Amino acid sequence: MSDDDPVVLLVEDERDLADSFGSLLDDEYDVRVAYDAQTALDLYDEAVDVALLDRRMPGMSGDEVLRHIRDEPGDCGVGMLTAVDPAPDIADMGFDEYIVKPASGDDLMSLVETLLQRTTCDEALRRHYRLTNKIALLEEYLEPAELADSEEYQRLNEELADVDRTASEAVEDLDSADVGAILRSDSQP
Amino acid sequence: MTDTTNPTAGDAVAETARSFDPGTNVLVVDESGGEALPFSLRHTAADEGVAVVTTDHSAPSVADAARRSLADSARLDIVDCTGKSTGVDTPVVDSLVSAGQDLPSVGEATVDTVQSGDSTALSTVHLGSMSTLVARSTVQQVYKLLYMVADQVRANGLVAFYAWDGPSDAKTLRILGQALDRRVSLEGRGEPTVRSSTEWSGDDG
């Protein structure tokens, strides 16, 4: 580990799992591990590049930690790493990626790489990714009838249409190397 | 958009050449396989340039199929992402390049091809197949590739066909289709159904 390594904040209340994930990440990243939400907030600062948050924890939830992080200065990539299946309430959450546990070590490493790449994206493109991920998650976990009744799902699609109009300019400026780099660093488990 | 014609499978090239406006991205669903490339070629004017990015069909078979539809003077570029390097007679193909089979390599090669459209007088790009790319990566990854390529196609005023060969599921097609403008289902021998992205987004389950 060097001073230049990206900083990863890992928040997981299952200590064994947190330690295991922390060890995996430790070779390549400056890892800060928190077993509860309050410790996570104490460890969070602008130096954090990536935050991996469990949603369901005793006391303050990962969702609340996410809100605090987004209220603070800094713009780290946030991945939810959780056993909670996605529901319409994810529409208003400020995460970049969402993985439902169990997750492998490869899943974890890919997630961090994706989130690091995401922080370098144009803001419009990053919003596009957030929205498409949420839409894809809801389409995967909700039944068609639930989607049809979901105001959140409709709103996400409307927001995506708005964002795409803006993001279009950013995408048009990409060359083939940019496209290749995005796809390589953005591989999903 | 004026691209609402539904050409029959046997239509001549000249009668269907203006079916899709420049800047249109078309998902061609071909569950039986083998008909998507001929469909793309039928919707290209015989004397206009075509680039085919292939992940499964060999370069010689693509060249053979293309030359049956295109005028001798029409430009034909092939980007071979099959991993099986095979030669093609130089007079048949104007450009034959090999690229990696992985999704990022296919993406790079496709964007290079689209962005070279102005200088090489291309009007049409055929990318096949989406089903192969999904098998090699994930639906989300392929969606992102399509999103980026489709925007380049619009910016460069080309028409692009994205082939889905073989069995499909509605959810995958709906997700991929969100990045594109039109969808055509090659079902049976009747007229293909051309639908806009909004028309298909709500009815595929």
Side-chain angles (χ1 to χ4, degrees), chain A residues 103-158:
Chain A
S104 69
D106 287 343
D107 294 342
L108 184 73
M109 299 303 283
S110 293
L111 175 60
V112 173
E113 288 171 20
T114 296
L115 292 169
L116 284 172
Q117 190 279 330
R118 213 51 72 70
T119 61
T120 68
C121 285
D122 171 273
E123 178 56 26
L125 192 55
R126 190 169 172 187
R127 283 190 66 202
H128 168 87
Y129 283 138
R130 285 179 181 166
L131 290 165
T132 52
N133 280 334
K134 288 176 181 176
I135 290 168
L137 283 164
L138 293 181
E139 290 179 348
E140 183 175 355
Y141 283 89
L142 268 59
E143 295 298 324
E146 294 175 297
L147 286 176
D149 291 340
S150 170
E151 291 179 9
E152 293 89 347
Y153 177 70
Q154 310 304 331
R155 177 159 51 83
L156 287 171
N157 277 292
E158 289 166 9

Side-chain angles (χ1 to χ4, degrees), chain B residues 35-172:
Chain B
E35 290 301 316
L37 178 58
F39 176 86
S40 302
L41 294 170
R42 283 198 300 274
H43 289 75
T44 303
D47 57 349
E48 291 185 346
V50 176
V52 179
V53 181
T54 177
T55 62
D56 39 18
H57 298 298
S58 70
S61 70
V62 169
D64 189 45
R67 279 299 171 215
R68 283 201 296 269
S69 294
L70 300 173
D72 290 343
S73 59
R75 183 178 182 84
L76 174 61
D77 294 351
I78 297 177
V79 181
D80 186 345
C81 303
T82 64
K84 301 168 188 169
S85 182
T86 48
V88 178
D89 287 344
T90 306
V92 177
V93 176
D94 295 275
S95 168
L96 171 62
V97 298
S98 295
Q101 294 174 273
D102 59 292
L103 190 75
S105 297
V106 174
E108 287 174 338
T110 305
V111 169
D112 270 339
T113 300
V114 170
Q115 291 185 337
S116 71
D118 274 351
S119 59
T120 56
L122 290 176
S123 69
T124 303
V125 175
H126 175 95
L127 176 55
S129 73
M130 299 305 98
S131 39
T132 306
L133 293 176
V134 168
R136 291 178 187 170
S137 55
T138 66
V139 175
Q140 279 201 6
Q141 280 285 88
V142 176
Y143 170 84
K144 287 168 186 172
L145 165 68
L146 295 188
Y147 179 83
M148 290 187 281
V149 171
D151 230 39
Q152 300 280 347
V153 165
R154 296 185 192 104
N156 287 277
L158 304 178
V159 174
F161 297 94
Y162 306 81
W164 180 281
D165 291 325
S168 63
D169 72 88
K171 181 180 288 183
T172 297

